[in-house]
Amino acid sequence: MSLLNNVMDHSLDDGYAEAAARKKAADGGLPKTLRAKLGLAAGLVLAALVVTVGAAQARVAAPVVAKEREGLIDRIDQETEAADKLEDDVDELRDEVSARQREALKESGSEQGELVGILSGAVEVHGPGVKLVVDDAREAGGGGDGDPRETSGFSDTGRVRDRDMQRVVNGLWESGAEAISINGQRLTALSAIRAAGDAILVDNKPLVPPYTVLAVGDGERLSTRFQDSADGLYLHALQENFGIRTAISAEEDLRLPAAPRVTVRTAQPNTEKTEKGTS
């Protein structure tokens, strides 16, 4: 009976009772004095006031911010329109300069002037030559043994790259081509063939395969010399190993457009023509 009475009188273990008492003493509960209560109330009122004032200021400033945003958007549109107009003016001036350059070369009437116009790409060219078409493999990505591009770092071996077209063009120049164009884009001594992702750029203009290369020159001789050159053999290796499609043929008459823009690095007045005009 004494054990049963002890269990009924002490239903909560002494350790649990002590832990509960320590927790209650540490919490302290709500403030007991009037000053503490007033301080707590004042703090709550101040916090509510700060939140209310902040919300009111945000509501008042919202139309101002929206108006400033609309003003910035309008300014951006105006500046963009002005920049586009300036770019159009620059293009018009460049076209005018190119047209005057071509006209000046025609007026010179000398063989040297005509040759300079052809070699610089300032005038249109037509005559016999070679037509070379280069296209990606039917299933780009395939490869084989004896990679001729193993030092170039290209992973997609079934796709024509900018370095491939560089070698083709350089091989045609070396084989005796007098003028070259790729997909209607005339090449000059300052032309650049570069890559932007998977696209090939010629003077910053993207080209789409198949790449049609027209080269003016002695057709049969130019074709034979190119195919026997190192660059022609390189192109043949791409065809044999990676399925890149190529087709070359000699043509009786090719027409190449003038380069859209020809940059003049050096120039001097024609003193002989001036002296004849004044005498």
Side-chain angles (χ1 to χ4, degrees):
M1 288 295 295
S2 61
L3 179 60
L4 184 61
N5 291 332
N6 184 39
V7 170
M8 293 178 64
D9 293 338
H10 302 280
S11 59
L12 183 64
D13 185 78
D14 294 339
Y16 286 107
E18 292 178 3
R22 287 197 302 269
K23 183 177 181 181
K24 184 177 180 180
D27 292 342
L30 295 174
K32 303 296 184 181
T33 63
L34 179 60
R35 175 177 292 183
K37 292 180 179 180
L38 291 176
L40 178 61
L44 293 175
V45 171
L46 181 61
L49 181 62
V50 170
V51 173
T52 303
V53 171
Q57 289 180 348
R59 180 175 298 178
V60 172
V64 178
V65 174
K67 186 176 181 179
E68 292 179 353
R69 181 175 180 274
E70 292 178 358
L72 289 174
I73 292 175
D74 292 339
R75 185 177 177 183
I76 290 172
D77 292 338
Q78 293 174 1
E79 296 297 332
T80 302
E81 184 178 355
D84 293 339
K85 185 178 182 303
L86 290 174
E87 289 181 359
D88 293 338
D89 293 342
V90 170
D91 291 337
E92 290 179 1
L93 291 173
R94 284 176 175 170
D95 294 338
E96 183 179 353
V97 169
S98 298
R100 291 190 178 186
Q101 288 176 352
R102 290 191 288 268
E103 190 64 26
L105 288 171
K106 291 179 180 178
E107 290 178 356
S108 65
S110 63
E111 294 182 358
Q112 184 178 3
E114 184 178 357
L115 178 60
V116 170
I118 294 174
L119 296 179
S120 64
V123 297
E124 298 179 358
V125 176
H126 73 90
V130 167
K131 178 181 178 180
L132 174 62
V133 180
V134 183
D135 198 0
D136 295 337
R138 296 187 183 278
E139 296 180 359
D145 298 331
D147 186 353
R149 294 188 289 181
E150 60 184 357
T151 60
S152 302
F154 296 126
S155 58
D156 189 358
T157 55
R159 194 181 299 275
V160 179
R161 296 297 189 180
D162 57 329
R163 292 191 181 182
D164 302 331
M165 297 309 300
Q166 289 173 5
R167 294 201 60 169
V168 167
V169 170
N170 289 334
L172 288 171
W173 285 126
E174 187 178 359
S175 300
E178 300 174 5
I180 299 177
S181 69
I182 303 178
N183 286 13
Q185 182 73 19
R186 180 74 173 273
L187 301 183
T188 69
L190 301 178
S191 295
I193 301 176
R194 294 290 182 267
D198 289 335
I200 295 179
L201 308 181
V202 174
D203 292 336
N204 294 326
K205 292 187 176 180
L207 303 181
V208 179
Y211 307 103
T212 301
V213 183
L214 302 181
V216 172
D218 187 346
E220 295 294 342
R221 183 181 179 187
L222 179 58
S223 175
T224 302
R225 291 186 63 181
F226 172 74
Q227 294 184 69
D228 292 339
S229 67
D231 297 314
L233 295 176
Y234 169 85
L235 186 62
H236 182 71
L238 295 182
Q239 181 181 11
E240 291 293 325
N241 294 325
F242 311 118
I244 287 179
R245 293 169 286 175
T246 64
I248 187 170
S249 60
E251 302 291 334
E252 294 183 358
D253 188 28
L254 297 175
R255 293 188 176 272
L256 279 61
R261 298 181 183 91
V262 177
T263 303
V264 177
R265 296 297 180 90
T266 59
Q268 60 185 7
N270 190 343
T271 56
E272 294 181 1
K273 187 174 182 179
T274 305
E275 291 175 356
K276 291 180 180 179
T278 57
S279 60

